[in-house]
Amino acid sequence: MAEQIVNTYLNTPDNDWYKARLSGLVFAVLAACFMLFIRMFHLQIIEGEEFRRLSESNCIRIQNIDPPRGLIYDSKGELIVDNRPSFNVCITPKDAKPIEETFNRLAALTRAPVSDMEERFKKQKGMPSYNPVVVLPDVDRDILGVIEARRFDLPGVSIQVKPLRHYVHNGSAAHLLGYLGEISQKEMDSGKYPGSLRGDSIGKNGIEKKFEMKLRGIRGGRQVEVDARGRLVRVLRTVEEKPGNTIYLTIDQQLQMAAEALFQGNVGAAVAMDPDNGNILAMVSSPTFDQNEFVAGLSHQTWNALINNPQRPMENKALQGTYPPASTYKILTAMAGLEEGVIDEHTTMVCNGYYRYGNRSYKCWRPDGHGSVDIYRALAHSCDVYFYQVGQRLGVDKLSFYARSSGLGSRTGIDLDNEASGIIPTAEWKKQRTGDVWQRGETLSIAIGQGFNLVTPLQMACFVSAVGNGGKRFKPQLIQKVVDPDGDVVKLTQPELVGKLPVHLTHLNMVRKGLWQVVNAGGTGSLIRMKSLEISGKTGTAQVISRARGDAETSAGPAHWKPHAWFVAYAPAESPKIAVAVIVEHGEHGGSAAAPIARDIIKHYLKETKP
Amino acid sequence: MMIDRRLIENFDWGLAGITLAIGTVGLIILYSAVNAGGSTGQEMFYYKQMVWFGGGFFLMFMILMVNYKDLEQWAPGIFFFCVFLLVAVLLVGRVVGGSRRWLVLGPVTIQPSEFVKIGTIIILSRFYARNTSRRGFTLRELLRPAGIMMLPLILILRQPDLGTAMLVVLISASMTLFVGIERRSLVYLFFLGAVVCCSGWFFLHDYQQERVLTFLNPDRDPLGAGYHIIQSKIAIGSGMAVGKGYLKGTQNALSFLPEHHTDFIMCVLAEEWGFVGTVFVLGLYALLLIWGLNIAHKARDTFGTLIAVGVTSMFFWGIFINMGMVMGLMPVVGVPLPLISYGGSSVVTTLIGMGLLMSVSIRRFIKE
């Protein structure tokens, strides 16, 4: 017992025990301070002279090496976006003194106004004065030669070689590819572009923006020693730049350009898709814009003209434009009616050119009426009266269930920004949006694709593609693969099944038979019938103003009152290889304005891919 | 609270003098750092720093009034308040340069990871003062203090703030080594650390390995850290024996130096005041550290000794890592130079530490 107490006492350190340990700490502190002292002596006394020399000419600098941005090819391996060398004249503020004289000499040699140079120069205020500032971007080879020859009269002036983005088929697929522009302060601060410097170009739109981090590569640089005039003495260290990845698109550039040619003079959009995997083959939005002009630096005037143009050239109408689906929506109404059992193959209805519901008369597009129609004739001739009644039997909420399950009214998830979702209304939606109760008559408009319904051409392309392939809904893909500079594939896109159309195959096949008749059995698309190739499709004529105000579809009003023309199709009818959605703004009739464009896109593609 | 007459008699004038001297030198250098090379809108840093000093000195006096003995009871409260601030940073903190370190409280922005150093010192002092043994701590006994340290450490690494995380570990390790680790456990700990480091290496991605290597050897990154160290060495070395003269530093003026008013402020001192200046400041710091250890020696009880050792180790590692880094002896890690670097939270934390030292110092003769 006593022994234990003594042991405990001996094991419990008192304050003095700790104090004895402090001498170790004192020693450690003195040793560390001595180490620092030795280092100071070494840097400041022994090597001080050399460091003083280096500091006097401020000669150790970093020069950036910009990596070449990744190229973009189409699905066939055709180069569609590359880089060309450009030459910038730079001034290093620290070395170019007096600065005014340098400006004047440069102006005399190049005939460029001094004010332009000064403006660019001022923008870089606050940056270290040993950073070169671009004062004349993208000069031509003559000026380059003159400046090189007079190098000695121009202290602090240097030529910077910089790759500049170049769109081979300028204006083609512009909405899809996007363009480059100088990074803004806001983008710098956003943290989305790590490693960016002021003056860098980044993707501002389309694929260029969405795949910025893959395309840009990694900046390299050189640690160099320069002399008092800013000329390179030697390179101390180099870090190699890493070029950006190459992107292969699913787009077929030849088809893309053929489709764009068909839109010459028209405003609208077209999307062509491979029904077997969701690959986008062409995506047109008309009118387009000049991408290379963006790269070179757009003037305020040009920019304002672009954004104030009523034809909205900067908008990608294929996925940002929302339109009433009009009669193309009847495909959906037919599917829903068959699946819900409110109609079957043998259901017939009589069309006298109008349908009375409540105390209102709802017109068919054909004033004389279609007579007795079944589901096939109703689709082929786009009989409104038939679909009014199908819609009435289904109700708005059932219709919207089928539409939403088929991918309408929601984003497809394509790899591009700013995709619109469109609208597929329900009674609940209207109540929330407007505060009003759903009127049953409104369901009739919905059933023929008018009313609140809004879809994008891309959604319709995906939808008709699923109808064509037997019900498989694929996510639309734009990227075939991404390849790194070593040639290794870093990303290979696989078809992505996002769902199935909510109908049985027997019902879908009835709808498909009706769509075949649209073109091949005297329907509304007869104009584009061909012996050699069977196309199935559906026309649509989207009212811009309410039908009640204009007397008929062909109302002779101002151009912007004319309806939009739709045509959605797939071909060959039996096992489709291509699905297309075409909209021509104010094109009037789907059968005459949109269908021929769709036919020519299909023809071009199938001819090209034929072995 | 009555102010004991003995407190005034025993006031630590020496420590107050050293603090004031380093603070004055700091403001003089900061003035040059933010004013050189024409105005770049940084002058406000100088005035803000003066305000921080004012607030810091006030806190220092408040703390020295408090009997440090009472802190032993309050330690968990203080510690968990600091941890709470760290959690708040992760939830609502402001992101600057990719890390979430700052809390915005009205007009002031604070960096809670700085204050955590004090919280950790106090709670570890309490733990070690209550659980002591001459044979040293065994691994099992160290689990609890290690757990205490891990809590703020993980939160700081989440921000991420590598420099402060490293300081928390080094301060904790210094205090633990001071109270003693049982010999066999020390050997185990050493091997355990070696095994964890080696095996952990293989779990890192290539880019993470690259980052660690660059951290250990800045020369691997000649365009980033390596370039900064070269510029820093040029600035320091070019000061030579007596410097280029106050406000005449060229490296600073041409903004070759990154962070010249915070982590790299030593370069401004070295360039303008030369070897004479750097040795003078090093001498002041050495005096401060020895003074702190002397307070630990004279402390009335174990808790006081441990507080003094903890605070002194906090100063030591800040000084050693910062000076070592700018002179190219150490990895590049953002640690401020106590009382000289710009930074409110750093200044206030340092002065709170001074307050703790003084509180221990002036009560060395008082028995209660």
Side-chain angles (χ1 to χ4, degrees), chain A residues 9-15 17-22 25-26 28-30 32-37 39-41 43-45 47-49 51-52 54-56 58-63 94 126-130 219-223 237-239, chain B residues 128 132-134 177-180 219-220 222-223 226-227 230-231 233-234 236-241 243-244 250-251 254-256 266 270 274-275 278-279 282 286 289-290 293 296-302 305 309 316 320 323-324 327-329:
Chain A
Y9 175 77
L10 285 176
N11 275 326
T12 309
D14 56 10
N15 210 5
W17 183 80
Y18 281 112
K19 285 173 180 172
R21 293 176 69 87
L22 278 168
L25 294 189
V26 172
V29 164
L30 290 178
C33 288
F34 185 67
M35 236 171 90
L36 294 175
F37 174 83
R39 183 65 174 173
M40 286 167 181
F41 186 80
L43 287 179
Q44 299 190 289
I45 304 298
E47 289 186 31
E49 200 92 38
F51 283 125
R52 177 66 67 95
L54 288 172
S55 90
E56 265 156 15
N58 284 309
C59 58
I60 309 287
R61 298 183 191 175
I62 295 282
Q63 288 178 346
K94 190 190 146 296
M127 296 288 279
S129 64
Y130 55 87
R219 194 192 301 277
R222 270 186 292 263
Q223 219 182 65
R237 296 284 299 271
T238 303
V239 174
Chain B
Y128 288 136
T132 50
S133 154
R134 267 184 205 214
L177 276 173
F178 175 66
V179 294
D219 221 27
R220 291 179 68 93
L223 309 179
Y227 178 66
I230 286 187
Q231 294 298 351
K233 275 156 71 178
I234 291 177
I236 292 172
S238 69
M240 296 177 72
K244 297 177 185 169
T250 54
Q251 299 307 98
L254 284 163
S255 30
F256 273 105
M266 154 97 172
F275 186 62
T278 49
V279 168
L282 183 65
L289 295 174
I290 299 301
L293 292 179
H297 184 71
K298 291 199 174 132
R300 173 164 46 90
D301 53 20
T302 310
T305 302
V309 166
F316 171 78
F320 186 66
M323 286 194 163
M327 291 195 291
L329 288 178

Side-chain angles (χ1 to χ4, degrees), chain B residues 72-84:
Chain B
E72 200 173 337
Q73 268 89 55
W74 304 344
I78 296 170
F79 179 71
F80 283 108
F81 179 68
C82 292
V83 171
F84 163 77

Side-chain angles (χ1 to χ4, degrees), chain A residues 144-173:
Chain A
L144 197 63
V146 173
I147 290 175
E148 280 294 346
R150 308 291 287 276
R151 203 60 184 276
F152 278 89
D153 300 337
L154 297 165
V157 170
S158 56
I159 305 292
Q160 178 190 62
V161 187
K162 210 172 178 177
L164 210 57
R165 204 59 161 169
H166 177 234
Y167 299 92
V168 178
H169 304 287
N170 197 9
S172 176

Side-chain angles (χ1 to χ4, degrees), chain A residues 68-73 80-83 164-168 172-181 187 193 201-217 244-245 247 249 289 291-292 294-295 415-417 478-479:
Chain A
R69 195 174 170 88
L71 307 177
I72 302 179
Y73 290 91
I80 49 181
V81 184
D82 68 353
N83 307 303
L164 210 57
R165 204 59 161 169
H166 177 234
Y167 299 92
V168 178
S172 176
H175 302 91
L176 181 83
L177 296 170
Y179 50 86
L180 296 193
E187 286 162 327
Y193 306 97
S201 287
I202 58 163
K204 293 279 186 173
N205 223 324
I207 297 282
E208 294 272 33
K209 180 180 180 192
K210 197 77 186 179
F211 291 87
E212 170 67 23
M213 295 318 283
K214 288 207 157 63
L215 286 167
R216 72 190 315 186
N245 293 334
I247 289 181
L249 300 179
F289 58 90
Q291 298 151 279
N292 287 329
F294 274 91
V295 175
D415 276 333
L416 287 175
D417 285 343
L478 280 171
I479 306 298

